[in-house]
């Protein structure tokens, strides 16, 4: 036997590895063998600390690339990248108005791969803001907010807001001109909160203007408090996905009758004769998907093991994100302008790009309405959607139906034309003198009336399709998404010196806040 092992080193190596895998130490760490059969495929998900957040099996529909686009996994992975790169950056950074900017310069010029590290963190943060927003849109357009996932949708909206705040607090840390004036504009928006605006701004900055106190508070929020909050929210969000039966999918995928099938009295009597009346059974097996069916085991399965199907899709999403982020970080460097100087005003001075839409709204209405009322109404309305739209039909289907696609397309085109038209009208037509000097009229009543009229026109336009409540929600959510995108583009690319409208090719240097 010894001669055979000497002549066949590969066999000896395999035998040695088998001994290691069969040892008590190995088996105490890895509690099951390689997932090469159904039992081990179940156990590897059930017993692994890193994988047990996934179910043992998932619905076929939910692992289709064109259904989820992997946006939830990508968002979570980007947060992981930000934690890792941010933790490394802390070794080279001191939150001091005298040293922060110099630390950024040293990081870029004197630390090995320092520029790449900063690029990964900067672009990863921007990409996370974008991906979380797209993930929220994906969930809405596929009806993933419906019962029993209402609360998880609300958690998702909160996660989006916290993600914006996380990126916002990190914006100041380089302490250059871009950071200083972007945060100045954004903090001024926060000061428009009714009654407590100035106190809230003082609490945020620690002073009446941006300085050491603001930098220290933003640093503490960015590296500790907000990451802690977002980690807890992500954990609860994933846990609720599991408890709510996994990702949303059409009724045919979950083994229940279609929601739009309403049996007649005769049909109900026939069904009663075939299936005796009894409460529906809800069952789960070793972290399998929660299912409900009149007869357990009789409905079609339509599921696959998470290992390897879901794992492969998630691995591809992670590798693709890593490759894209690395290429972007090698090609484009994060901006670093002159050291922050409160005596030299940036022109144009713009908020961070993800708050640009609010800055655009500020140009057209009362600051309190633009900086507080509008964002609050939008957030509350988004969180309330699943509690107003209770229809269960066509869950898990993009845009609900072909009619829903037409509604979304109409809403997108109408909103784009309306937003651009209003911005041009406000810039080119001197309409303010017609309403006198009253701030109540010009700053509140006129904008509210304009928004109301636009919403009524949109609703009347949707009526040609005889929409149900879900389809109306699709139209108005599309209007919100397009408004956010259009106003962001206008502020970033078409607002120049003095925030005046101008072609993108005439923007002054530093006109973008990426």
């Amino acid at each position: 036997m010894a001669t055979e092992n000497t002549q066949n080193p590969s066999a000896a190596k395999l035998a040695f590895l088998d001994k290691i895998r069969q040892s008590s130490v190995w088996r105490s760490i890895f509690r099951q063998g390689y997932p090469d059969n159904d039992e081990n495929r179940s156990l590897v998900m059930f017993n692994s600390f890193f994988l047990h957040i996934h179910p043992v099996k998932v619905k076929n529909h939910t692992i289709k690339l064109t259904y989820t686009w992997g946006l939830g996994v990508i968002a979570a992975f980007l947060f992981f990248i930000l934690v890792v790169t941010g933790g490394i950056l802390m070794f080279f950074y001191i939150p001091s108005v005298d040293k922060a900017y110099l630390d950024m310069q040293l990081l870029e010029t004197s630390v090995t791969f320092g520029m790449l590290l900063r690029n990964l963190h900067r672009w990863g943060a921007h990409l996370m803001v974008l991906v979380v927003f797209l993930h929220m849109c994906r969930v809405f357009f596929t009806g993933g907010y419906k019962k029993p996932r209402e609360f998880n949708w609300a958690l998702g909206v909160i996660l989006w807001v916290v993600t914006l705040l996380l990126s916002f607090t990190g914006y100041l840390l380089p302490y250059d001109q871009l950071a200083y004036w972007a945060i100045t504009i954004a903090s001024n928006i926060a000061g428009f909160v009714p009654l407590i605006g100035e106190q809230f701004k003082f609490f945020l900055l620690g002073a009446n203007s941006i300085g050491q106190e603001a930098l220290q508070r933003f640093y503490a929020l960015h590296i500790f408090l907000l990451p802690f909050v977002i980690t807890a929210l992500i954990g609860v969000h994933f846990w609720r996905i599991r408890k709510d039966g996994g990702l949303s999918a059409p009724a045919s995928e979950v083994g229940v009758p279609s929601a739009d099938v309403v049996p007649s009295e005769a049909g109900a009597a026939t069904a009663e004769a075939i299936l005796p009346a009894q409460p529906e059974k809800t069952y789960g097996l070793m972290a399998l998907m929660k299912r409900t069916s009149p007869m357990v085991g009789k409905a079609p399965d339509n599921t696959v093991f998470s290992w390897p199907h879901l794992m492969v899709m998630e691995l591809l999403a992670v590798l693709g994100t890593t490759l894209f982020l690395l290429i972007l970080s090698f090609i484009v460097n994060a901006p670093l302008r002159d050291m922050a100087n409160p005596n030299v005003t940036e022109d144009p001075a713009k908020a961070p790009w993800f708050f640009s839409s609010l800055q655009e709204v500020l140009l057209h209405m009362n600051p309190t309405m633009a900086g507080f009322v509008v964002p609050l109404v939008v957030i509350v309305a988004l969180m309330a959607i699943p509690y107003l739209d209770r229809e269960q039909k066509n869950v898990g289907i993009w845009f609900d139906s072909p009619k829903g696609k037409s509604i979304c397309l109409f809403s997108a085109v109408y909103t784009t034309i309306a937003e651009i038209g209003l911005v041009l009208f406000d810039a080119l037509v001197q309409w303010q003198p017609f309403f006198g000097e009253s701030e109540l009229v010009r700053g509140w009543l006129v904008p509210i009336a304009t928004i109301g009229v636009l919403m009524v026109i949109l609703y009347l336009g949707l009526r040609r399709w005889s929409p149900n409540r879900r389809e109306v929600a699709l139209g108005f959510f599309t209007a919100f998404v397009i408004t956010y995108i259009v106003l962001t583009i206008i502020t970033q690319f078409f607002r120049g010196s003095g925030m005046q409208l101008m072609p993108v090719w005439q923007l002054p240097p530093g006109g973008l806040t990426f």
Side-chain angles (χ1 to χ4, degrees):
M1 182 63 68
T3 303
E4 291 181 5
N5 287 341
T6 303
Q7 295 175 350
N8 191 351
S10 298
K13 186 177 180 180
L14 287 174
F16 177 71
L17 292 177
D18 287 339
K19 289 181 180 179
I20 293 178
R21 284 192 287 262
Q22 293 172 8
S23 67
S24 59
V25 175
W26 180 276
R27 294 176 67 86
S28 69
I29 300 172
F30 303 99
R31 305 183 65 177
Q32 71 286 319
Y34 183 78
D36 54 359
N37 56 60
D38 287 352
E39 180 181 3
N40 281 341
R41 290 187 188 103
S42 301
L43 290 172
V44 73
M45 307 303 296
F46 192 60
N47 290 330
S48 170
F49 173 79
F50 297 102
L51 299 180
H52 83 281
I53 197 168
H54 299 85
V56 171
K57 300 182 78 175
V58 293
K59 311 179 192 85
N60 279 313
H61 185 78
T62 60
I63 61 172
K64 293 179 180 178
L65 177 62
T66 54
Y67 181 64
T68 66
W69 296 102
L71 294 171
V73 174
I74 293 172
F77 177 65
L78 286 171
F79 178 66
F80 171 76
I81 289 179
L82 293 178
V83 170
V84 173
T85 55
I88 299 173
L89 287 171
M90 289 172 64
F91 286 96
F92 306 99
Y93 179 83
I94 298 174
S96 164
V97 293
D98 298 323
K99 297 181 178 180
Y101 183 77
L102 296 178
D103 286 344
M104 289 294 102
Q105 289 184 318
L106 290 173
L107 179 71
E108 294 183 357
T109 59
S110 303
V111 176
T112 304
F113 297 117
M115 189 75 241
L116 176 63
L117 184 66
R118 181 167 181 247
N119 290 345
L120 287 171
H121 194 75
R122 177 81 170 207
W123 304 134
H126 289 341
L127 191 58
M128 182 178 173
V129 171
L130 177 62
V131 170
V132 170
F133 180 71
L134 292 177
H135 177 58
M136 185 175 71
C137 294
R138 195 283 301 171
V139 172
F140 184 89
F141 286 125
T142 58
Y145 59 84
K146 292 177 177 289
K147 186 179 180 180
R149 301 174 179 86
E150 303 99 326
F151 180 68
N152 214 22
W153 163 263
L155 281 178
V157 175
I158 296 173
L159 268 169
W160 174 53
V161 174
V162 177
T163 300
L164 294 178
L165 295 177
L166 185 64
S167 190
F168 171 68
T169 52
Y171 219 86
L172 180 63
L173 302 189
Y175 212 68
D176 62 346
Q177 280 287 81
L178 172 63
Y180 184 92
W181 290 103
I183 298 303
T184 297
I185 297 297
S187 61
N188 287 339
I189 295 175
F192 296 132
V193 176
L195 302 179
I196 61 169
E198 288 303 317
Q199 293 85 343
F200 178 65
K201 180 181 175 181
F202 187 89
F203 172 79
L204 186 66
L205 301 181
N208 292 319
S209 60
I210 295 176
Q212 178 60 44
E213 295 83 359
L215 184 61
Q216 192 165 330
R217 293 192 179 199
F218 274 55
Y219 183 69
L221 288 169
H222 188 69
I223 70 166
F224 171 67
L225 184 59
L226 290 176
F228 174 79
V229 170
I230 206 168
T231 300
L233 289 174
I234 288 174
V236 176
H237 192 63
F238 284 173
W239 176 77
R240 284 303 300 250
I241 292 174
R242 287 287 307 279
K243 292 301 180 181
D244 294 339
L247 300 183
S248 60
S252 59
E253 290 281 336
V254 295
V256 296
S258 177
D260 57 332
V261 176
V262 181
S264 63
E265 294 183 5
T270 304
E272 181 73 18
I274 299 174
L275 297 175
Q278 58 177 331
E280 288 187 338
K281 300 177 182 179
T282 301
Y283 66 96
L285 177 62
M286 199 178 67
L288 287 169
M289 306 302 301
K290 184 174 71 173
R291 311 287 290 276
T292 303
S293 176
M295 298 183 67
V296 175
K298 296 299 183 181
D301 187 27
N302 291 329
T303 60
V304 293
F305 281 97
S306 294
W307 186 290
H309 300 86
L310 179 61
M311 295 296 99
V312 169
M313 297 299 294
E314 292 188 347
L315 179 62
L316 290 175
V318 166
L319 291 178
T321 303
T322 303
L323 180 62
F324 174 80
L325 198 54
L326 280 172
I327 293 174
L328 180 63
S329 298
F330 274 115
I331 295 176
V332 184
N333 287 332
L336 186 67
R337 299 183 190 170
D338 295 334
M339 185 175 180
N341 186 349
N343 297 317
V344 179
T345 306
E346 284 281 288
D347 189 19
K350 297 181 182 179
W353 68 268
F354 41 84
F355 286 149
S356 292
S357 56
L358 285 182
Q359 188 176 6
E360 180 64 33
V361 173
L362 273 170
L363 301 175
H364 306 286
M365 60 183 67
N366 181 274
T368 299
M369 182 178 177
F372 176 73
V373 176
V374 170
L376 181 63
V377 170
V378 168
I379 293 171
V380 172
L382 288 174
M383 296 177 68
I385 285 173
Y387 301 99
L388 300 176
D389 175 19
R390 308 298 293 175
E391 295 181 5
Q392 292 295 104
K393 186 173 67 172
N394 294 341
V395 173
I397 298 176
W398 275 94
F399 305 111
D400 194 68
S401 64
K403 186 168 66 171
K405 293 180 183 179
S406 300
I407 286 174
C408 291
L409 179 61
F410 168 79
S411 179
V413 173
Y414 163 77
T415 304
T416 301
I417 295 174
E419 293 296 335
I420 295 175
L422 283 174
V423 170
L424 291 175
F425 177 83
D426 199 20
L428 302 176
V429 179
Q430 298 299 316
W431 57 269
Q432 291 89 344
F434 292 103
F435 298 99
E437 299 297 325
S438 173
E439 179 62 22
L440 175 63
V441 176
R442 295 170 56 180
W444 287 87
L445 297 183
V446 172
I448 290 174
T450 302
I451 294 172
V453 168
L454 291 176
M455 293 177 67
V456 170
I457 294 174
L458 175 60
Y459 177 73
L460 294 176
L462 298 180
R463 290 190 62 181
R464 60 172 295 192
W465 286 279
S466 301
N468 56 32
R469 189 174 299 180
R470 159 72 173 155
E471 289 161 347
V472 171
L474 281 171
F476 279 93
F477 184 81
T478 301
F480 155 71
V481 172
I482 297 300
T483 298
Y484 184 80
I485 294 173
V486 169
L487 294 185
T488 299
I489 292 174
I490 289 174
T491 306
Q492 284 295 312
F493 295 99
F494 296 94
R495 290 289 182 183
S497 181
M499 293 303 288
Q500 297 298 312
L501 281 178
M502 61 180 56
V504 63
W505 54 87
Q506 293 183 6
L507 278 182
L512 303 177
T513 56
F514 297 127

